[in-house]
Amino acid sequence: MSFPATAVRTGLAAARATGLNKVYGEGETRVVALDNVSVTFPQGEFTAIMGPSGSGKSTLMHCMAGLDTVSSGSTTIGDTELVGLKDKQLTQLRRDHIGFIFQAFNLLPTLTALENITLPMDIAGRKADQAWLDRVVDTVGLSGRLGHRPSQLSGGQQQRVACARALAGKPDIIFADEPTGNLDSRSGAEILSFLRNSVRELGQTVVMVTHDPVAASYADRVVFLADGRIVDELHAPTADTVLDRMRRFDAKGRTS
Amino acid sequence: MFRTALRNVLAHKGRLLMTMLAVMLGTAFVAGTLVFTDTMGQALRTQNSKSYADIAVTVSDSEAVGRGYDHGGRTAAGPTLTEDTRRKLVTLPGAADVRGVVSGFAGIADHKGALIGNGFSTTGTNYVPGADGTDPRYPLVAGRGPKDAGEIALDTRTAEKGGFKVGDTVRVAVNGPVMQLKLTGTLHTNDPRVTAGGSLAAFDTATAQQLYLSPGRFAELDVRAAPGTDDTALLAAVRQALPQGDNLKAKTGRELADEQDRMIAQGTRILSTFLMGFAAIALFVGVFIIANTFSMLVAQRTRELALLRAVGATRRQITRSVKVEAALVGLTASVAGLLAGIGIALGLKALLNGPMDANLPDGPLVIAPTTVLAAIAVGVLVTLVAAWLPARRASRIAPVAAMSSSEQPATQKSLRLRNTVGLLFSLAGAAALAAGASGKEVKLVGLGAGALLIGVFVLTPLLSRPLIALFAPLLRAVYGTPGKLARENAVRNPRRTAATASALTIGVTLITSLTVVGASVNKAVDDSTSSDLKADYTVAMQNFSDLSPEVAAQIAKAPGVSAMSTERSVPVTIDRGQDRGRGAGDGENEFLTAVDAATIDQLATVRIREGSADALEQGKLLVSSGRSEQARYKVGDVLAVTYPDGSKGSLTVGGVLEANTALAPVLAPEAVVGPHAQPGSGLEKVLVKGTNGATEQLKQALRDATGGNPLIAVKGEKDIKAESRQAVTNILNMMYGLLGMSVVIAVLGVVNTMAMSVFERRREIGMLRAIGLDRLGIRRMVRLESLLIALFGGLVGVGLGILVAWAGVRTLADDLKGITTVVPPLQIVCFLLAAAVIGLLAALWPAHRAAKLDILDAIRSE
């Protein structure tokens, strides 16, 4: 079963991978993490990437976000081809065009919430768009806690700061790596609604790696990976349809 | 638990590397000092026993020994050693031979007229040919020994330095004009004074006696024994044969060698104590680094230690595992330090014998068992003491910490107790310092400085925030976000920053205070020379011995001299009777300095505090304020004195002078006391005023008047100032060199802290890289943090150093009139710059590592 170019829809692509291969090691220890993956993440869409452990979903995200190099193939953010870019150019691309949300929040403990949010712009030496910033802060519900340091915030609040940080610079695309992995279900639900709202109301593009069917159900589309290949996709998923699809992987895994 | 500790050491090899280096350098300093001083002491003792090997009994005349340096200032009262005495001793049973020795100093001029070697170590002696025509003390290398007043032999190194060959004419001087003598031979000598930069001149006996004593007189008689003679029996016989007198002492060669051995041991002990002081400073600096490392390791292993507690390890076991780990680190580093120390001792010896030209006697390297024990014990103990607090902290980790998230504990333990203790110490220290400074109590100042240093070290975490905040605006403006992050990182763990900076503070404090004291002394000497001395030139012997009266006579006749006065030391005894509450009869010794009453006020600034300015011209004494307080001389006192020639007289105190560095404590008119002094004795200095001021012509005329004696220095105001500056610079440079080790260890500490911090913060660094900080930015962030910590340490050190120096300078006020604290701005700025450079250099490797981190690995790490 394979889903090649059919996954590519019309409309402007925020990020696109074509024939992506990622191989680790050589000889005996050779592992194919990504096997000829082509996928498009259109603008204004919330996509979830799912798959069992070791399916290559994180690797795909890292390669497309310019955090990891690819063995062959092509991957673009907007019009920019990532393959062949130097470290400095990649860094600038991430800084100016990509937002990141990590599982472990990854805030700087020495900075206040607000300083953490504006960090990417501070690094770039840009001034934040105040109106946008206010809107983002308001949406994530942090208005009263901007002066707090991460250690004074709960896990959910910290992750909301991380979301605001990803959004503040109006990136072309936001990559979220298991953003609810370290959160309780209520905080997790808040973050997921917030991500969905940022797509629906603020017109952002979000790509989220997760193994949680409930989290995936917040997305517009779910892309399934197995053994380094895209094996399926679901539009307008619900937790049940995702879970159902996942069970089939398991079943196939057991029978094969 | 031992196995756990061992595993931990092995697992954290990299992280412990800097700590081990720090301990190693400290113990290397200790071991190096011990090995070097033992080796030197042993070599000197071996040589010493050789030089007394053929002497059975030696008789010395205490009134004649060293007479070359002190021409008759003392009254000669006792019997003398003469050729008759020598012959008498030869006839004693068991005596094979008696050598009469005369010794003093003798300056050898090179072809340009300058002195060869160091003025204090020039030696002169008589050449005593044995049966074979040579003197066994000084084996001939070339030519033959001197035979008459026109001949001389030199040690080979001096001859080499001067480019003299046998048959050449050599210019030699004692305390008068230069003599032109023919070089008849070159000699070998092991005399340490000569080999360590001095010179040896050998004259024939009659000439040496003429130069140093009086014809026919010896300073020492060395008796060689016939085989099978008992030294003690011979000693008794010699004592019988000697004329009776307190000034004549007979000893066996063995006793003399033992005496010398004791002096050598004392000398090496002083050197060793001095060096050990600096080793202790280096180790103290090391303590900060060790403590820091173990704190960081314990913090990083919080979860692991908690897990051990959770599975049943007791607190005591946890503490012990950290202590065992520290002991292992200390032991490994100490053994390496011991080896490095032996290397240092070898290097030092090679350096001193090579480029420094000190020519220490050869000998095997001495590695005493105590050295090995001391080095290892010191290294292990220091490491254990430093790791004590972290070990205790480790035991307090609750088992539940094993279950908590991997996040580092963000909350810091309150610094309140620490700050209170620090404040108390600082205040007590500052109070003692101030009290010591005003009361001129050196000990109190030292105590206060120590307490203040400890107090400030305890307070450093508190100080770190405001002081580092000073740089924040600049950092932000110039370096943007990396600058801001660097500043935040520098203050995020105040204890760690404080411990790292303090290690540097120690060195900077000491260096700064030494520099400030040095600059203050220079300024005081400059000022007092300018204000106290009016003479254009002073003429004196380089080795502070007495000038020949002939020199004064020649100077009086020199062209361009408008006024001159000799300064002549005349020892007298003063009988103060019973009115001062002392026993009558014995008398007190006092040195009068006889000067020309008519000209002295043209040659030095005579400021009268009390009494009459014309006192000298009235035949009375002028006493310095210091001496007047010390000896309780008051204007109008009439002192009953006994002069060196035995005559008695009375002298009136005519005035008290303000302190003056150019004048002696008790001035007397030459016309009154001169006639009662030993003829031609005690001439210390000649002060000269020129018709046209200080001119090169006058200087040359004075040099000519001294007969070109290379040992006589003609110094103008500029020369005096330059000489004092040079002396201060030399001392400072040596101290800087010895403190260098502490600074190196402090640098290792900065490297260590930065490397550990980078390791701990790698996830943050990964995140920063992911959201768009480039490698340069990361590198900058690390470098700037290191720069801030180092600058912080430097600033505290400079501040403390100036404070301590201020107190130290106050205590010097009595010795150096008008001394004020001088802070040389350029040097202080240089020290701060050096601290900044140290910070940047220390961060090179950690910054490189931080920039090289793989983003994904870093983000995933715990």
Side-chain angles (χ1 to χ4, degrees):
Chain A
M1 201 188 298
S2 82
F3 278 77
T6 51
V8 181
R9 299 198 309 183
T10 48
L12 287 169
R16 170 184 290 145
T18 316
L20 215 53
N21 285 290
K22 176 74 182 174
V23 182
Y24 294 108
E26 266 175 53
E28 293 282 304
T29 58
R30 187 179 142 100
V31 175
V32 180
L34 294 179
D35 185 1
N36 197 25
V37 173
S38 296
V39 67
T40 299
F41 301 120
Q43 278 180 4
E45 195 182 82
F46 185 0
T47 313
I49 303 177
M50 290 205 73
S53 290
S55 61
K57 54 187 191 300
S58 283
T59 306
L60 176 63
M61 193 193 91
H62 291 149
C63 288
M64 294 190 70
L67 290 172
D68 205 350
T69 54
V70 302
S71 302
S72 68
S74 148
T75 176
T76 56
I77 297 286
D79 297 330
T80 313
E81 170 63 53
L82 267 56
V83 177
L85 285 189
K86 296 235 159 46
D87 180 74
K88 200 168 174 64
Q89 297 160 312
L90 273 176
T91 303
Q92 274 177 17
L93 180 88
R94 289 197 302 267
R95 187 183 77 192
D96 298 335
H97 300 282
I98 304 175
F100 286 99
I101 301 168
F102 303 101
Q103 178 176 359
F105 323 145
N106 278 326
L107 302 178
L108 284 191
T110 52
L111 301 183
T112 63
L114 181 63
E115 286 171 327
N116 264 297
I117 292 170
T118 57
L119 188 58
M121 280 165 288
D122 286 342
I123 291 172
R126 275 190 282 130
K127 197 91 190 82
D129 174 346
Q130 196 56 48
W132 173 255
L133 191 63
D134 290 344
R135 194 163 162 207
V136 167
V137 168
D138 201 39
T139 318
V140 295
L142 282 167
S143 310
R145 296 201 157 72
L146 289 179
H148 289 45
R149 289 189 199 271
S151 56
Q152 298 165 303
L153 299 172
S154 71
Q157 285 167 336
Q158 288 190 50
Q159 193 63 306
R160 280 192 265 159
V161 173
C163 289
R165 178 179 69 196
L167 276 166
K170 285 197 216 170
D172 297 347
I173 186 165
I174 292 172
F175 288 102
D177 192 358
E178 304 269 14
T180 56
N182 279 8
L183 297 176
D184 60 70
S185 56
R186 212 181 110 226
S187 304
E190 275 171 15
I191 292 294
L192 289 164
S193 332
F194 170 66
L195 286 178
R196 188 168 59 192
N197 291 346
S198 70
V199 171
R200 303 245 166 100
E201 290 161 25
L202 306 177
Q204 288 294 302
T205 308
V206 176
V207 175
M208 171 178 73
V209 167
T210 184
H211 61 264
D212 175 10
V214 180
S217 70
Y218 284 78
D220 300 321
R221 175 172 70 123
V222 184
V223 175
F224 294 94
L225 251 77
D227 299 329
R229 269 171 292 193
I230 293 183
V231 289
D232 201 355
E233 65 173 49
L234 267 175
H235 289 273
T238 64
D240 287 337
T241 54
V242 174
L243 193 60
D244 194 45
R245 185 67 191 83
M246 294 294 283
R247 280 208 192 94
R248 279 197 276 142
F249 284 136
D250 283 358
K252 191 185 164 215
R254 267 184 226 113
T255 50
S256 64
Chain B
M1 292 311 275
F2 178 78
R3 187 173 294 172
T4 323
L6 183 64
R7 291 252 166 86
N8 275 327
V9 172
L10 292 177
H12 297 126
K13 283 195 296 289
R15 274 182 267 171
L16 287 169
L17 180 70
M18 291 297 148
T19 312
M20 289 201 185
L21 273 177
V23 179
M24 189 195 96
L25 288 180
T27 47
F29 206 150
V30 172
T33 300
L34 291 174
V35 172
F36 177 70
T37 50
D38 285 354
T39 302
M40 216 174 64
Q42 166 110 323
L44 285 171
R45 276 194 296 275
T46 312
Q47 184 183 307
N48 180 42
S49 64
K50 265 189 225 155
S51 52
Y52 290 101
D54 72 333
I55 300 176
V57 175
T58 182
V59 184
S60 64
D61 176 356
S62 62
E63 285 174 354
V65 170
R67 276 298 269 280
Y69 292 91
D70 176 16
H71 277 255
R74 286 168 296 184
T75 330
T80 55
L81 298 171
T82 61
E83 184 57 26
D84 283 347
T85 331
R86 194 186 77 81
R87 289 217 194 93
K88 203 167 160 193
L89 295 188
V90 177
T91 61
L92 290 175
D97 179 16
V98 179
R99 185 163 55 213
V101 178
V102 182
S103 53
F105 66 89
I108 318 293
D110 64 12
H111 288 301
K112 288 179 193 148
L115 181 70
I116 297 176
N118 156 6
F120 288 100
S121 316
T122 66
T123 52
T125 189
N126 58 332
Y127 190 81
V128 188
D132 63 345
T134 68
D135 188 331
R137 287 180 301 165
Y138 306 114
L140 273 170
V141 177
R144 57 168 178 83
K147 285 186 174 157
D148 61 46
E151 295 181 343
I152 189 174
L154 296 178
D155 68 289
T156 44
R157 281 160 46 82
T158 304
E160 248 166 58
K161 280 192 207 160
F164 300 122
K165 288 193 188 63
V166 173
D168 285 359
T169 301
V170 179
R171 292 158 54 81
V172 189
V174 180
N175 67 337
V178 128
M179 303 171 286
Q180 313 239 5
L181 303 177
K182 192 176 140 216
L183 184 68
T184 58
T186 55
L187 312 171
H188 177 76
T189 179
N190 278 326
D191 184 339
R193 275 182 309 168
V194 177
T195 54
S199 60
L200 171 76
F203 305 94
D204 76 288
T205 300
T207 310
Q209 286 172 330
Q210 177 70 42
L211 286 170
Y212 298 124
L213 288 167
S214 52
R217 192 172 165 196
F218 294 107
E220 195 181 300
L221 293 174
D222 295 337
V223 185
R224 258 183 346 117
T229 311
D230 177 40
D231 286 359
T232 341
L234 187 56
L235 178 67
V238 166
R239 281 193 175 138
Q240 278 290 303
L242 281 178
Q244 289 308 303
D246 287 344
N247 59 322
L248 298 187
K249 295 254 164 22
K251 283 176 187 154
T252 63
R254 187 66 255 155
E255 279 176 311
L256 211 60
D258 288 347
E259 233 167 66
Q260 290 286 323
D261 274 1
R262 274 196 295 279
M263 276 169 66
I264 291 167
Q266 198 184 1
T268 52
R269 200 161 43 237
I270 290 169
L271 177 67
S272 154
T273 311
F274 177 72
L275 291 175
M276 278 301 189
F278 288 90
I281 294 170
L283 283 166
F284 184 58
V285 170
V287 166
F288 285 84
I289 291 149
I290 302 160
N292 227 5
T293 306
F294 278 94
S295 294
M296 288 189 259
L297 284 178
V298 166
Q300 285 166 12
R301 290 211 310 258
T302 300
R303 277 229 290 184
E304 189 185 317
L305 293 170
L307 190 69
L308 283 174
R309 290 276 284 128
V311 299
T314 63
R315 287 195 168 185
R316 183 190 286 258
Q317 279 174 313
I318 298 287
T319 312
R320 204 186 301 144
S321 85
V322 177
K323 281 183 185 160
V324 168
E325 202 178 329
L328 282 172
V329 168
L331 189 67
T332 318
S334 307
V335 171
L338 178 67
L339 295 176
I342 295 169
I344 288 176
L346 278 173
L348 203 57
K349 213 175 138 196
L351 183 77
L352 284 170
N353 279 345
M356 306 275 286
D357 210 22
N359 282 296
L360 300 172
D362 274 333
L365 206 61
V366 180
I367 303 163
T370 48
T371 304
V372 176
L373 276 179
I376 290 177
V378 160
V380 172
L381 270 178
V382 164
T383 317
L384 274 179
V385 167
W388 184 69
L389 273 182
R392 256 169 45 118
R393 214 171 297 142
S395 73
R396 298 230 182 95
I397 294 170
V400 73
M403 313 303 157
S404 64
S405 83
S406 61
E407 295 281 311
Q408 292 280 325
T411 48
Q412 287 286 326
K413 237 181 67 189
S414 162
L415 289 167
R416 188 176 301 159
L417 177 70
R418 183 174 175 150
N419 290 341
T420 314
V421 171
L423 204 63
L424 285 177
F425 259 96
S426 303
L427 288 177
L433 202 67
S438 63
K440 293 172 185 126
E441 293 277 345
V442 181
K443 270 187 190 160
L444 200 56
V445 165
L447 210 68
L452 182 64
L453 278 178
I454 293 173
V456 171
F457 287 150
V458 177
L459 277 184
T460 341
L462 182 72
L463 295 174
S464 65
R465 232 162 224 290
L467 273 176
I468 287 176
L470 286 179
F471 299 98
L474 183 74
L475 279 183
R476 258 212 112 143
V478 181
Y479 296 107
T481 307
K484 181 189 172 183
L485 295 176
R487 178 249 153 129
E488 296 290 347
N489 281 337
V491 296
R492 106 195 241 182
N493 190 332
R495 282 167 210 268
R496 183 187 298 182
T497 299
T500 312
S502 294
L504 195 59
T505 301
I506 298 168
V508 177
T509 302
L510 293 171
I511 288 174
T512 305
S513 58
L514 287 171
T515 307
V516 171
V517 169
S520 306
V521 167
N522 278 340
K523 175 82 174 16
V525 170
D526 277 7
D527 287 354
S528 63
T529 309
S530 304
S531 71
D532 295 353
L533 187 70
K534 283 186 183 170
D536 293 316
Y537 290 103
T538 64
V539 181
M541 293 294 287
Q542 274 188 32
N543 56 6
F544 302 141
S545 58
D546 294 340
L547 285 162
S548 154
E550 202 180 326
V551 172
Q554 289 297 325
I555 288 173
K557 285 188 267 173
V561 174
S562 70
M564 69 160 278
S565 171
T566 51
E567 284 191 6
R568 187 176 178 196
S569 174
V570 180
V572 294
T573 44
I574 297 177
D575 184 357
R576 305 197 63 178
Q578 284 169 317
D579 58 321
R580 308 267 162 175
R582 300 175 188 206
D586 276 355
E588 291 167 38
N589 291 321
E590 180 63 271
F591 281 91
L592 306 179
T593 300
V595 295
D596 185 341
T599 56
I600 192 68
D601 62 342
Q602 296 172 51
L603 299 162
T605 315
V606 178
R607 284 175 297 251
I608 299 287
R609 177 184 279 187
E610 210 184 313
S612 163
D614 297 330
L616 289 173
E617 297 201 273
Q618 293 161 5
K620 295 178 183 170
L621 302 178
L622 279 179
V623 183
S624 76
S625 54
R627 186 68 192 146
S628 119
E629 278 164 31
Q630 211 178 4
R632 289 175 295 170
Y633 294 139
K634 285 204 289 288
V635 176
D637 281 2
V638 179
L639 307 174
V641 298
T642 308
Y643 291 113
D645 65 354
S647 62
K648 293 185 190 285
S650 67
L651 288 169
T652 310
V653 177
V656 175
L657 293 177
E658 298 287 352
N660 184 316
T661 51
L663 291 174
V666 185
L667 298 180
E670 166 74 28
V672 176
V673 302
H676 302 296
Q678 293 282 314
S681 75
L683 183 53
E684 288 179 343
K685 208 192 272 181
V686 182
L687 302 176
V688 179
K689 185 90 184 160
T691 322
N692 302 317
T695 59
E696 271 308 307
Q697 287 96 312
L698 178 59
K699 197 173 186 181
Q700 191 52 51
L702 292 173
R703 279 214 193 93
D704 293 344
T706 65
N709 183 334
L711 276 170
I712 297 180
V714 178
K715 288 185 239 167
E717 192 183 312
K718 258 191 265 169
D719 305 313
I720 295 171
K721 289 178 182 174
E723 206 168 73
S724 155
R725 275 180 187 277
Q726 189 56 50
V728 169
T729 307
N730 287 347
I731 295 174
L732 284 184
N733 283 346
M734 184 179 65
M735 297 285 198
Y736 292 157
L738 289 168
L739 287 171
M741 185 69 101
S742 332
V743 175
V744 169
I745 293 178
V747 174
L748 290 179
V750 182
V751 176
N752 188 42
T753 300
M754 293 317 298
M756 291 276 229
S757 294
V758 164
F759 173 79
E760 281 177 15
R761 298 175 193 156
R762 58 202 190 283
R763 213 171 63 173
E764 279 171 44
I765 293 167
M767 183 275 288
L768 282 168
R769 291 276 292 123
I771 67 166
L773 191 62
D774 57 10
R775 292 210 163 109
L776 179 65
I778 299 287
R779 220 175 272 141
R780 251 192 201 145
M781 180 178 82
V782 178
R783 274 196 216 134
L784 289 174
E785 180 185 352
S786 172
L787 174 80
L788 278 175
I789 294 177
L791 258 183
F792 168 56
L795 267 179
V796 175
V798 163
L800 277 176
I802 292 176
L803 202 63
V804 170
W806 166 80
V809 165
R810 295 309 321 140
T811 63
L812 287 175
D814 278 348
D815 302 316
L816 274 170
K817 185 185 64 99
I819 190 167
T820 51
T821 310
V822 177
V823 180
L826 190 70
Q827 269 146 303
I828 298 296
V829 168
C830 279
F831 294 154
L832 288 176
L833 275 181
V837 170
I838 280 173
L840 289 178
L841 285 180
L844 276 181
W845 175 64
H848 177 75
R849 279 195 28 172
K852 272 288 170 79
L853 277 179
D854 181 88
I855 302 176
L856 292 171
D857 286 350
I859 291 177
R860 279 193 217 110
S861 64
E862 280 204 355

